[in-house]
Amino acid sequence: SPGRPAYAGADGLITRTPWWNFADWTDAWQAGDVYGQTIHSAGRSGPSTIVNALYILACGAMSRLLHEDHAREAAGYVTRGRAVARALRRNSWDAARKRYADFPGAAAFSEHAQVLALLEPSLARGRERALLRSVAGDPGPIVCNLFFQFFRAEACTRHGAAEAVRQRLAAWQVIRDLHLTTLPERLPHPGPKGDGVRSDCHAWSCWPAYWMRQWSPR
């Protein structure tokens, strides 16, 4: 429904949901959950910038799907997405660091939040250069793993920084050095004495093939 989302707080931003709020496999988040911060104390229950940015993108996708046959419902999603975007721009943007905090008022800044902001025009508007600098130059301690690098690649390419994508493709050299003939779910790759979680044939890690066909100059 395009109405007020469940778990919305007083400012309209979505607070912590009871499900697995997975974003990416990073050492900074326990089990890949954005609320499982391990290097910052912030973000245990409040509105996650990443979750809310994904919600805005989802509202846009729904409005595009529905606009021909369900115009009124499509317009509702547009309205809801804009409202959440305004709240996120107001609450999560750190003017001093010129990037979106992972949680309003928190000193936690993931590359993921900046990537999603670059993909959503309502969040990037007027802040494109600063966001791109943080993604292509100084991402900070929480960087995208294999899965989320797909979204980083799309964001960088849309904003004219394809070379920043190529620089990250060195991670796929590590995969070759591990003598894998299929692609793992994440890096660092858990070995036999690791955490016991392995998936050595994961489709989401093969996005460079799509990117090179779609975006690279021929």
Side-chain angles (χ1 to χ4, degrees):
S1 168
R4 183 178 178 85
Y7 305 103
D11 55 7
L13 293 175
I14 300 168
T15 57
R16 185 172 185 171
T17 69
W19 303 288
W20 185 23
N21 295 274
F22 177 83
D24 193 17
W25 292 118
T26 79
D27 292 337
W29 301 331
Q30 293 177 349
D33 192 312
V34 295
Y35 287 101
Q37 292 276 0
T38 59
I39 64 174
H40 296 288
S41 60
R44 296 298 180 184
S45 61
S48 160
T49 297
I50 292 171
V51 170
N52 279 274
L54 286 169
Y55 179 81
I56 297 166
L57 289 165
C59 283
M62 287 299 297
S63 69
R64 291 190 294 274
L65 285 170
L66 295 169
H67 80 280
E68 289 190 6
D69 299 321
H70 303 277
R72 185 174 179 179
E73 191 173 356
Y77 279 108
V78 170
T79 299
R80 184 63 213 150
R82 287 175 178 171
V84 175
R86 286 194 298 270
L88 207 57
R89 285 176 66 92
R90 184 172 60 251
N91 290 286
S92 290
W93 179 253
D94 188 304
R97 303 199 188 201
K98 297 189 182 304
R99 60 186 68 188
Y100 282 95
D102 285 358
F103 303 90
F109 302 89
S110 68
E111 186 176 43
H112 306 67
Q114 321 317 315
V115 164
L116 292 173
L118 280 170
L119 291 174
E120 172 48 54
S122 62
L123 296 178
R125 186 176 62 253
R127 300 169 177 175
E128 294 90 342
R129 289 187 179 181
L131 289 168
L132 192 59
R133 279 197 300 270
S134 70
V135 170
D138 178 24
I142 308 177
V143 298
C144 302
N145 210 317
L146 299 182
F147 158 61
F148 219 93
Q149 280 198 53
F150 167 78
F151 301 102
R152 178 185 179 274
E154 187 171 358
C156 287
T157 307
R158 284 189 191 180
H159 292 273
E163 186 55 37
V165 181
R166 296 187 183 93
Q167 292 169 3
R168 289 285 182 90
L169 294 180
W172 277 258
Q173 175 66 43
V174 175
I175 294 172
R176 191 180 75 168
D177 293 343
L178 290 167
H179 306 294
L180 294 175
T181 56
T182 56
L183 296 168
E185 180 177 1
R186 56 177 165 156
L187 290 175
H189 185 69
K193 295 182 180 179
D195 58 13
V197 178
R198 295 178 66 115
S199 178
D200 290 346
C201 188
H202 225 74
W204 72 25
S205 299
C206 72
W207 66 260
Y210 161 82
W211 179 81
M212 286 185 282
R213 181 176 176 82
Q214 186 81 3
W215 295 108
S216 289
R218 289 173 172 81

